[in-house]
Amino acid sequence: MSFFEHFGLTNAADVATGMLMLVMICYAIGDIVSYKTKAVFSMIFVTGFVFLFGFWYGFPKTIFQTTGTIAFAAVSLPIILVHMGTLMKLRDIKQEWKTVIIAFVGLVALSIGLFFIAGPILGREMALTAAGPISGGIVATIIVSEAAKKVGLEHLAVFATLLLVLQNFVGLPIASLCLKSETKRLLAKFRSGEAEETQAGKAPKSDPEVPSIRLFPAFPKPMQTPFVLLAKTAIVGWVALLAAQHYNAMVLGAGLPYLQLHKFVMALIMGIVFYETGFLEHKVLDKANAMGYAMFFCLIFIWVSLPQATPELVRSLVYPLVVCFGVALVGIVTSTFFTSKILGYSWAMATAIAVTCLFGFPATFIITDEVTTAGCADPKEKEYCMSHLLPKMLVGGFTTVTIGSVILAGYLGQIIETLAK
């Protein structure tokens, strides 16, 4: 007899509703703990462990299948990726071009370190799988996990999930220390009177609500209803899937398999294109009041492998987890040592930017705000420090988690499938 049948629920739909309630409660626990700890323990970190222990001590192993959340997650992901393309304009990213370079080089460095250092120790498939979640967030983890499961390496999907669950706990303390060091440097400059005044000729940030190139007529505000916005987002997602299919067939026909683009990468690209040309609104799912619902289903892919994560399997993965995080961090700090000198950033600032791949937004904002609040004596000092730190952290997180990790994971997934054949 299942847990829900104890309450007299025997109808399949009623049981599924009860299981869905259980999933939502797990999410809620993660959010509450994240709020109470000011994101030191992230929602993903807490919820992951709630599910893990839940499956060990009585959660139904088929909870995601029974509730139908896996099927809905599969059709939601392209829409989520399209939305991610509407978060920041390319012009604003170009203004922080040094930050973008530091972030991308950090991703490349950690991937090289994992392949050439962790690979011989743990196996190339495991090392490449680790590069997905460590280099970014949810979507990158899903891509490499699906590639691993496709070739029968189910334990690597569990490994990727554990890396994602633990990455905030690794990245946030490092970022906090680096930002504290950079805040002290900025405050010393500010208090000595050497702080640079804002240049009048500095290019202003672009209005996110105004497209860079208006190719599509603007929708009147009364017509920007949730259903209209969702329909537009779904159209772009569908176009992305078609484009990925035809593009990949073309490059395969030309004998260039490594030029393939994962369909999720294409969805991100199409989101950017249709946002910059005016078809999609800025933060389109937020305006449709659908972001929370969409993310609820998107996250299901992160937990779907946890029913297979037995205590024995988790214990066997402790050593690979330590090796992969250690090697990745060595790669990151080594890359920032050189990029900081070449681009004129402090090593602390460059490292804080590069490790945003381990937590992303909104933690990039939260930790910057917390560090400057603690270190600054008055609002003027905080405003000065925030004006220098926050744009770099936001762009760094967007570059690593939203763009770089998705592109990297798309290629890593292809390599994992090739190596396993």
Side-chain angles (χ1 to χ4, degrees):
M1 182 179 292
S2 71
F3 170 80
F4 296 101
E5 290 174 342
H6 284 292
F7 294 91
L9 294 176
T10 56
N11 180 275
D14 294 342
V15 172
T17 301
M19 289 187 182
L20 185 62
M21 173 197 69
L22 189 60
V23 174
M24 290 180 170
I25 290 173
C26 293
Y27 278 50
I29 293 171
D31 262 345
I32 292 169
V33 175
S34 176
Y35 172 77
K36 291 293 186 180
T37 61
K38 296 182 179 180
V40 172
F41 296 101
S42 71
M43 176 269 182
I44 292 177
F45 176 84
V46 177
T47 306
F49 276 104
V50 171
F51 275 125
L52 184 64
F53 291 124
F55 287 124
W56 289 355
Y57 297 106
F59 279 15
K61 301 290 186 182
T62 60
I63 190 169
F64 301 124
Q65 291 82 1
T66 303
T67 55
T69 49
I70 290 180
F72 200 90
V75 299
S76 298
L77 274 175
I79 293 175
I80 291 283
L81 266 294
V82 169
H83 165 81
M84 289 170 68
T86 70
L87 296 182
M88 187 173 291
K89 297 180 77 66
L90 291 175
R91 177 184 172 185
D92 297 332
I93 297 176
K94 286 191 292 186
Q95 289 182 13
E96 288 285 350
W97 63 271
K98 292 182 179 179
T99 298
V100 173
I101 290 175
I102 290 170
F104 269 124
V105 172
L107 292 185
V108 173
L110 73 87
S111 301
I112 291 174
L114 286 169
F115 187 78
F116 288 103
I117 300 176
I121 300 172
L122 306 173
R124 291 177 297 177
E125 292 89 349
M126 178 170 278
L128 290 172
T129 301
I134 293 178
S135 69
I138 297 166
V139 177
T141 305
I142 291 171
I143 292 173
V144 295
S145 296
E146 290 300 301
K149 287 189 284 187
K150 192 180 295 185
V151 293
L153 301 174
E154 187 71 32
H155 69 288
L156 293 187
V158 176
F159 180 56
T161 301
L162 291 176
L163 284 166
L164 181 70
V165 167
L166 294 170
Q167 63 175 185
N168 286 14
F169 200 58
V170 175
L172 286 172
I174 296 171
S176 178
L177 289 173
C178 292
L179 288 174
K180 286 177 183 177
S181 174
E182 184 67 5
T183 298
K184 289 180 181 178
R185 188 186 72 82
L186 290 172
L187 286 176
K189 188 176 180 181
F190 183 81
R191 291 166 181 171
S192 67
E194 297 178 7
E196 296 178 354
E197 297 183 359
T198 304
Q199 297 179 357
K202 187 177 180 180
K205 290 196 71 175
S206 56
D207 185 348
E209 302 294 341
V210 178
S212 301
I213 306 171
R214 171 67 76 179
L215 297 183
F216 296 92
F219 262 57
K221 287 286 184 182
M223 290 180 61
Q224 294 182 17
T225 66
F227 293 142
V228 171
L229 296 176
L230 285 171
K232 291 167 67 176
T233 310
I235 289 169
V236 176
W238 181 71
V239 169
L241 297 178
L242 288 178
Q245 180 177 316
H246 289 294
Y247 170 80
N248 289 335
M250 181 182 67
V251 296
L252 283 173
L256 301 170
Y258 284 100
L259 291 182
Q260 292 182 88
L261 283 178
H262 195 281
K263 61 184 179 181
F264 293 158
V265 178
M266 186 64 77
L268 175 66
I269 293 171
M270 288 296 177
I272 294 171
V273 170
F274 281 90
Y275 166 52
E276 294 279 4
T277 54
F279 183 75
L280 293 175
E281 286 73 16
H282 178 55
K283 296 184 177 179
V284 63
L285 289 186
D286 289 317
K287 286 184 170 65
N289 299 318
M291 190 57 196
Y293 203 62
M295 282 303 298
F296 170 80
F297 288 101
C298 177
L299 287 169
I300 293 296
F301 270 119
I302 300 303
W303 327 122
V304 75
S305 296
L306 287 180
Q308 285 77 46
T310 62
E312 294 75 20
L313 178 57
V314 172
R315 280 195 293 268
S316 71
L317 293 176
V318 169
Y319 176 67
L321 286 168
V322 173
V323 170
C324 287
F325 275 127
V327 170
L329 289 175
V330 169
I332 288 173
V333 298
T334 302
S335 73
T336 55
F337 178 79
F338 294 102
T339 53
S340 62
K341 293 184 179 298
I342 295 170
L343 298 175
Y345 280 27
S346 68
W347 190 12
M349 186 72 253
T351 303
I353 291 167
V355 297
T356 56
C357 65
L358 294 171
F359 46 90
F361 184 85
T364 47
F365 171 80
I366 293 170
I367 195 168
T368 306
D369 183 67
E370 288 177 350
V371 168
T372 53
T373 298
C376 299
D378 56 58
K380 287 185 178 180
E381 289 186 351
K382 180 175 178 177
E383 182 180 358
Y384 173 75
C385 291
M386 285 288 282
S387 69
H388 282 72
L389 300 178
L390 189 57
K392 293 177 175 57
M393 292 298 287
L394 291 179
V395 172
F398 183 80
T399 302
T400 54
V401 175
T402 305
I403 298 178
S405 67
V406 177
I407 295 172
L408 176 64
Y411 287 106
L412 291 175
Q414 295 176 33
I415 297 171
I416 291 169
E417 293 181 31
T418 302
L419 289 174
K421 289 179 181 178

